[in-house]
Amino acid sequence: MYTKKKKIVITVAVIVILVITVVYFSIGGILVNAKRLGEISGYYTGINLREDGTEIRKDDEDSDVFDYNSCYDLIISSEKKPYLDVYDSEAANPGVRGWIIGLNDNTVTLWLNPLETDFGFVPFTGNSIIPIYKFEYELKQNKIVLSHDGKEIPFRKI
C-alpha cells in the first residue's frame, strides 16, 4: 500500500531522473568532437576475416572464414542528434542503437535506445542497468573497427 509520503518520494525520484536525463543530453553535444564525428560518419558494412586477420573479398574463392562479419551493417549519423546503429542486416535483427553523447579520438559513448537495442547482441553484449554504452574504435582510411570488452568487428565504408 502506497502512503502519501511514498508517492511523493517516487514522484520526486522520477522528476530528478528526468532532469538528469535532459541535462545529460544537453551537455552531450559538448562532449562530441564535431570534426571527428564528420570524419567517421557514414554507412559501413562488416568485413569477413581469415584466421590470420586478412580480409576476405567477395571474389575470393577461399572459404576459410574465421570471423563472419558481413552480416553486420553500421550507420554513424552526424544529424542534429547524432546516432550509431549496428545491426544484423541478414536476419533484420536489431543490434546496438543509441544517440552519440560523447566522442573523442578513440571512444564513442552512446545513450542506448532500448526499443532498438538487443541487449544480448553478439559480439557486443551489454548487461548494464545504466543505458550508457562505450565502444572503442580505430579509424583507418575507409575502415573502422569497433570494439568492446575485447570483442571487435571491422567495417568498410560503402
Side-chain angles (χ1 to χ4, degrees), residues 114-132:
L115 300 176
E116 297 187 42
T117 297
D118 174 4
F119 290 93
F121 179 69
V122 178
F124 303 117
T125 56
N127 49 11
S128 174
I129 296 173
I130 300 171
I132 296 174

Side-chain angles (χ1 to χ4, degrees), residues 83-138:
Y83 67 89
L84 182 143
D85 186 6
V86 179
Y87 60 95
D88 183 341
S89 60
E90 287 184 358
N93 289 337
V96 175
R97 183 175 182 148
W99 295 279
I100 298 173
I101 57 173
L103 178 70
N104 62 29
D105 287 341
N106 61 1
T107 304
V108 59
T109 305
L110 305 178
W111 184 276
L112 294 180
N113 179 341
L115 300 176
E116 297 187 42
T117 297
D118 174 4
F119 290 93
F121 179 69
V122 178
F124 303 117
T125 56
N127 49 11
S128 174
I129 296 173
I130 300 171
I132 296 174
Y133 202 84
K134 287 189 177 190
F135 282 113
E136 294 79 34
Y137 72 91
E138 185 177 357

Side-chain angles (χ1 to χ4, degrees), residues 25-37:
F25 272 108
S26 297
I27 66 168
I30 297 171
L31 301 175
V32 174
N33 179 330
K35 180 181 179 201
R36 188 63 164 173
L37 181 61

Side-chain angles (χ1 to χ4, degrees), residues 13-26:
V14 167
I15 291 170
V16 167
I17 289 171
L18 289 173
V19 168
I20 289 172
T21 301
V22 168
V23 168
Y24 198 76
F25 272 108
S26 297

